[in-house]
Amino acid sequence: MVKNIDWGNLGFGYMKTDYRYVSCYKNGKWDEGQLVKDENVVINESACVLQYAQTCFEGLKAYKTKENKVVCFRPDMNAKRMIESAKRLEMPTFSEERFLDAIKKVVNANFDWVPPYGSGASLYIRPYMFGSDAIMGVKPATEYQFRIFVSPVGPYFKGGVKPITLMIPDFDRAAPRGTGHVKAGLNYAMSLHAIVNAHNHGYNENLYLDSRTRTKIEETGSANIIFVTKNNEVVTPKSDTILPSITRRSLMYVAEHYLGLKATEREIYLEELQDYKECALCGTAAVLSPVGKISDHGKDILFPSGMEKPGEITQKLYDTLRSIQMCEIDAPEGWIFEVN
Ligand code: PLP
Ligand code: COI
């Protein structure tokens, strides 16, 4: 029985569901994994994750289609990215095959928590891994847990598709040759001060610049960014210190192959922003959130699409991506993963 939840009014928050998946790594190998009911994790006080933040995670969503099928969007890409994150943090990798199998198990076990088709909500899936045994010197753990929990969610930014505002912070997100390109928990820990600061100043998010020159656009703390030029070209920053967003890579494909637009990944300078007509954040949680204003130390960049609704191209990209995700229109091969 589908849970009795006010799906249409869900925000992006944690809700305890029935089952979570756990696999433990010890003596050089992963155990076979299991579903458990207890949402609490008990680990040693000196676990590497607690002392030295040895943890990485992923985020993806499950959707219910009109035919009552449950599908995920490109989970193989999350599996691959998590392998890259684990390698960068000296953690063991969890194979793509096992990752996909675990997703199937945990989503099916929580089937009643998948929001109904048309509700606007989805089931957020959070795979994560951490060093769990006691260490003292700075070195990788020898034992790990790979876990997945799920939670029904609504829009990441309050107000749904209403345009949001960004500020250019005085803080940096990622150093050259650092960990910006992987989904390490530490990237998010160091962004907390900056996000509180942005909220205190009345902005929804921070738009980070490259830390080497502070002239180029990178991404926000929780999503990549795209812009639309006056000629309807979709452009997005090229940088090796941003997270390679699966949503962004998919949207660039959609722009080119579904909407017939030019889609370009290149370096984008802060001083170019006033030339663009639309801007939006993209990510699993953010989906495609229109941006109305970017504030750079008192200088406001106001996009012509305004503060009331998404721009025309942003809306088309959003509608097409959502229709692909909900299986309403044909998806490129391999993009839809059936769970049940
Ligand atoms: N950038 C950051 C920093 C993120 O946390 C996320 C979320 O996963 C993204 C971008 C978007 O990535 P994806 O589209 O793969 O969810
Ligand atoms: C996601 O979009 O899945 C994210 O991980 C972003 C944020 C909630 C950290």
Side-chain angles (χ1 to χ4, degrees), residues 12 57-60 81 124 126 156 183 188 221-223 283-286:
F12 191 86
F57 68 101
E58 272 302 324
L60 65 158
R81 192 169 63 188
Y124 187 72
R126 174 54 67 85
Y156 189 67
K183 215 161 162 59
Y188 299 82
S222 58
T284 298

Side-chain angles (χ1 to χ4, degrees), residues 13-33:
Y14 173 81
M15 189 183 288
K16 186 192 160 192
T17 58
D18 296 332
Y19 291 96
R20 57 277 306 125
Y21 178 90
V22 193
S23 177
C24 296
Y25 181 93
K26 199 173 174 173
N27 299 326
K29 58 178 193 301
W30 290 104
D31 69 13
E32 73 267 29

Side-chain angles (χ1 to χ4, degrees), residues 90-309:
E90 285 297 331
M91 303 167 93
T93 56
F94 201 72
S95 75
E96 181 176 329
E97 194 191 348
R98 287 210 54 194
F99 183 99
L100 296 177
D101 177 61
I103 297 277
K104 265 196 176 170
K105 287 192 170 117
V106 74
V107 174
N108 277 314
N110 292 292
F111 195 82
D112 295 342
W113 296 92
V114 187
Y117 172 77
S119 65
S122 52
L123 189 75
Y124 187 72
I125 306 171
R126 174 54 67 85
Y128 61 113
M129 193 196 290
F130 53 87
S132 54
D133 61 325
I135 43 94
M136 202 62 154
V138 179
K139 60 173 192 256
T142 61
E143 294 177 15
Y144 293 84
Q145 291 190 23
F146 170 87
R147 287 178 165 257
I148 308 178
F149 70 82
V150 299
S151 178
V153 295
Y156 189 67
F157 295 106
K158 282 193 206 87
V161 292
K162 252 205 158 334
I164 57 168
T165 58
L166 309 179
M167 69 172 264
I168 306 286
D170 288 325
F171 306 100
D172 291 333
R173 175 181 175 275
R177 296 176 291 275
T179 55
H181 61 299
V182 295
K183 215 161 162 59
L186 64 92
N187 292 339
Y188 299 82
M190 52 68 66
S191 77
L192 297 177
H193 180 58
I195 193 74
V196 169
N197 184 55
H199 289 165
N200 286 344
H201 283 87
Y203 297 94
N204 297 95
E205 253 286 15
N206 286 297
L207 178 56
Y208 291 99
L209 302 178
D210 73 295
S211 67
R212 195 199 310 263
T213 70
R214 293 192 60 81
T215 58
K216 289 179 270 186
I217 301 300
E218 292 251 298
E219 63 171 326
T220 68
S222 58
N224 279 181
I225 193 161
I226 61 162
F227 299 93
V228 180
T229 70
K230 296 201 169 101
N231 301 324
N232 289 345
E233 178 182 351
V234 181
V235 294
T236 193
K238 186 180 175 67
S239 161
D240 53 15
T241 50
I242 65 176
L243 192 77
S245 157
I246 296 158
T247 315
R248 184 252 302 163
R249 286 179 276 168
S250 306
L251 283 166
M252 296 304 273
Y253 184 92
V254 165
E256 206 171 327
H257 298 272
Y258 283 68
L259 303 180
L261 303 172
K262 192 165 175 213
T264 312
E265 192 185 346
R266 62 166 168 78
E267 292 185 331
I268 296 178
Y269 288 84
L270 177 59
E271 59 188 23
E272 292 173 45
L273 297 196
Q274 63 250 25
D275 300 335
Y276 296 120
K277 67 169 193 179
E278 296 178 32
C279 172
L281 302 189
C282 54
T284 298
V287 191
L288 191 59
S289 301
V291 174
K293 178 170 101 171
I294 299 175
S295 183
D296 174 20
H297 300 89
K299 183 182 155 219
D300 284 347
I301 297 146
L302 298 159
F303 294 99
S305 49
M307 287 305 300
E308 284 309 311
K309 55 179 178 35

